[in-house]
Amino acid sequence: MPTVGVGRDRLFDALGRTYEDKEFEELCFKFGIELDDITTEKAIIRKEKHLEEKEESAEAEEIIYKIEVPANRYDLLCLEGLARALRIFEELEGIPTYAVANISRDSMLKMHVKAETSKIREFVVCAVLRGVTFDEARYNSFIDLQDRLHQNICRRRTLVAIGTHDLDTIKGPFTYEALPPSKINFVPLKQTKSFRADELMEFYKSDMKLKKFLHIIENSPVFPVIYDHKRTVLSLPPIINGAHSAITLKTKNVFIECTATDLTKANIVLNTLVTMFSGYCERKFEVEPVEVLYDDGRSYACPDLSLYSMKVPLSYINDGIGLSLKADEVARLLRRMQLPTTYAEEDSTICVSVPPTRSDVLHPCDVMEDVAIAFGYNEIPKRKPVSLKPLPLNELSDLIRLEIAMNGFSEVLTWILCSYKENFDMLNRKDDKSTAVIIGNPRSSDFEVVRTSLMPGILKTVGHNKDHPKPIKIFEVGDVAVLNEKKDVGATNCRQLAALHCGATSGFELIHCLVDRIMEVVGTPFVSAGNHTGYYIKLSNEPEFLPGRQASIIYKGKHIGHFGIVHPEVLNNFDIPDPCSYVELNIESFL
């Protein structure tokens, strides 16, 4: 989870009172965050540079609180949001009402989006903060919040990039374009000379902070760029802003633009920025909208600071937490968590109005969690459930595990993710594009696919333990995933059983007897082919098994698995020198 460093004295000033360290730690715990460390600026620098501890001078140094916050609470990534949330939690102030300035569309600043931007970063959202009063601490907090958002929800600027500008130095309407890098020329932030965009890419390859973002656009034929009415470059997202429109302590009107590949996340980022710092505006908590116009006729005004409603049954909240709270108690607890609430008696539901600061509230369970936090987890009475019974599938899984273990097999647990090659090529299988769940952005080549079979993991285990005394007898009961258009997530989990016998005498009959024992345990008789009252086997032709030494398992007319002697090519792919017999079947079919 993200850790936010804030000055203790400034935080206490914003909270309106001082706390002892232990007292503040308890407040954080009650609110669902954690005081991770108490340090100083110099101590943080020493830690980052791996320097030894030195005795501190007698002069006072600012105490820094390092506070760990939930990853989806973007409103807590700055001092302003933390202080506001804690004051509301302590019922020292009410929930602010964030508003969009009531101006006509004709009076709004315009951002014109060219069609070419769809090739690189299609979306942009904007807003204006009027009459802002900055001091050094507020200014630093404003910059720090942008950096934390970039590291968090913006995914290091790949999804969203933020640009902030002094509106008094530029003139609308603005245009968001995508041009060849050789045609973009401007003076970047903290520089004095003008660069072409392609020159800038080379220049920033030696910059420790910015070089990590160059890969996002450097290989694209066009770069995104934002101009004002006079063709002054505001920014080259997601790399750098222009020096001309840089904000300073004297800035009064701030123009914010967020370019993105994900419009939903762009709106969350913009809403977070404007709600946190509109408190410093001349008209408190009011934000001026900007109209975004696309070449294809689409248009929208942003930001959208409206509240959206969610209805949650009171019984759902009480049953989930284990309490018997009345509606007015629940409403008060939710208001402490910045969620305005009313109660509808006709259907016994809590009507929650979710503000733009709480983008983490997506489902009734989020509302229930906030009630539990505000009530206090330590205050929830302990009780034993009336009955606690495992799911039938888990009961059956445990029964089969026990039975196979008593037959001399050792259980293994392997990764549910594997490489594309292991799932297909190394098993002599072809990808039909309709079975495997492919990982979109894998961290490594070892985790590219959600396994469609337990076989790769079992064979890898044997391959890494080939010097173990023979025979090797191992099994696994675990889930695989296959594509399924009927499911809302597009895929479904299947509980499988796999077992392998590895040794010089491994044969078809050794794994066949294990299949018979499993079927005996689940109470299924062996029947003749075509009989749907039990199970039978028939010759199969799976590429991972030796031809003529393999069979399919047919249970009540349905194919539930297969077994046989593993093909020598497959064994060679996994560097296994000894013969192996293997069975895999779907145990959900027995329920």
Side-chain angles (χ1 to χ4, degrees), residues 509-523:
E509 69 286 351
L510 289 175
I511 210 70
H512 192 338
C513 69
L514 182 63
V515 173
D516 288 343
R517 178 57 185 158
I518 293 167
M519 292 303 184
E520 184 181 1
V521 169
V522 297

Side-chain angles (χ1 to χ4, degrees), residues 25 41 140 155 220 349 386 407 414 416 444 485 510 536:
E25 185 177 11
E41 196 69 43
N140 290 337
R155 295 294 184 267
S220 172
T349 57
V386 177
N407 277 268
T414 62
I416 196 168
S444 77
E485 293 180 356
L510 289 175
Y536 61 89

Side-chain angles (χ1 to χ4, degrees), residues 254-327:
V254 180
F255 177 71
I256 303 171
E257 42 85 4
C258 299
T259 58
T261 56
D262 186 318
L263 184 58
T264 300
K265 285 185 169 55
N267 281 314
I268 292 172
V269 169
L270 182 66
N271 287 351
T272 302
L273 271 173
V274 298
T275 52
M276 293 304 100
F277 286 88
S278 57
Y280 298 139
C281 289
E282 189 176 339
R283 303 185 69 166
K284 205 170 182 181
F285 302 128
E286 184 177 278
V287 183
E288 183 178 314
V290 175
E291 185 175 18
V292 179
L293 303 158
Y294 286 81
D295 281 351
D296 60 7
R298 287 180 294 156
S299 69
Y300 49 81
C302 46
D304 179 7
L305 301 181
S306 60
L307 285 68
Y308 77 89
S309 297
M310 180 186 295
K311 287 192 172 186
V312 185
L314 180 60
S315 57
Y316 174 84
I317 294 172
N318 281 323
D319 292 346
I321 302 172
L323 298 171
S324 299
L325 297 173
K326 295 180 179 178

Side-chain angles (χ1 to χ4, degrees), residues 1-6 11 24-39 47 64-78 82 85-86 148 152 373:
M1 294 195 292
T3 301
V4 181
V6 295
L11 177 60
F24 184 74
E25 185 177 11
E26 289 175 359
L27 172 62
C28 288
F29 178 79
K30 288 178 183 178
F31 184 61
I33 58 180
E34 182 181 354
L35 180 59
D36 188 53
D37 193 15
I38 302 172
T39 183
K47 189 174 181 180
I64 304 294
Y65 277 174
K66 304 278 279 187
I67 302 171
E68 195 174 87
V69 302
N72 59 353
R73 285 297 301 270
Y74 313 116
D75 59 312
L76 303 181
L77 291 175
C78 62
L82 267 171
L86 289 173
R148 289 165 186 155
N152 194 305
I373 290 171

Side-chain angles (χ1 to χ4, degrees), residues 268-418:
I268 292 172
V269 169
L270 182 66
N271 287 351
T272 302
L273 271 173
V274 298
T275 52
M276 293 304 100
F277 286 88
S278 57
Y280 298 139
C281 289
E282 189 176 339
R283 303 185 69 166
K284 205 170 182 181
F285 302 128
E286 184 177 278
V287 183
E288 183 178 314
V290 175
E291 185 175 18
V292 179
L293 303 158
Y294 286 81
D295 281 351
D296 60 7
R298 287 180 294 156
S299 69
Y300 49 81
C302 46
D304 179 7
L305 301 181
S306 60
L307 285 68
Y308 77 89
S309 297
M310 180 186 295
K311 287 192 172 186
V312 185
L314 180 60
S315 57
Y316 174 84
I317 294 172
N318 281 323
D319 292 346
I321 302 172
L323 298 171
S324 299
L325 297 173
K326 295 180 179 178
D328 57 342
E329 294 177 278
V330 171
R332 187 182 71 82
L333 293 172
L334 287 173
R335 282 194 289 271
R336 293 179 64 195
M337 302 301 291
Q338 303 182 63
L339 297 174
T341 304
T342 58
Y343 178 62
E345 290 189 17
E346 60 274 9
D347 54 0
S348 300
T349 57
I350 299 292
C351 302
V352 180
S353 299
V354 183
T357 52
R358 294 300 310 274
S359 59
D360 60 300
V361 179
L362 305 172
H363 186 275
C365 66
D366 298 314
V367 176
M368 178 183 67
E369 181 188 25
D370 274 6
V371 173
I373 290 171
F375 184 84
Y377 282 116
N378 288 344
E379 305 302 320
I380 298 173
K382 295 178 182 178
R383 60 185 177 91
K384 289 184 178 180
V386 177
S387 64
L388 192 63
K389 192 175 181 181
L391 294 172
L393 178 59
N394 291 337
E395 281 190 303
L396 178 60
S397 299
D398 290 341
L399 174 66
I400 290 175
R401 283 190 179 100
L402 181 62
E403 188 61 39
I404 298 179
M406 287 193 294
N407 277 268
F409 285 75
S410 299
E411 187 173 10
V412 298
L413 184 65
T414 62
W415 300 112
I416 196 168
L417 299 181
C418 62

Side-chain angles (χ1 to χ4, degrees), residues 42 56-62:
K42 288 182 181 177
E56 298 293 339
S57 59
E59 64 183 69
E61 189 179 351
E62 184 183 20

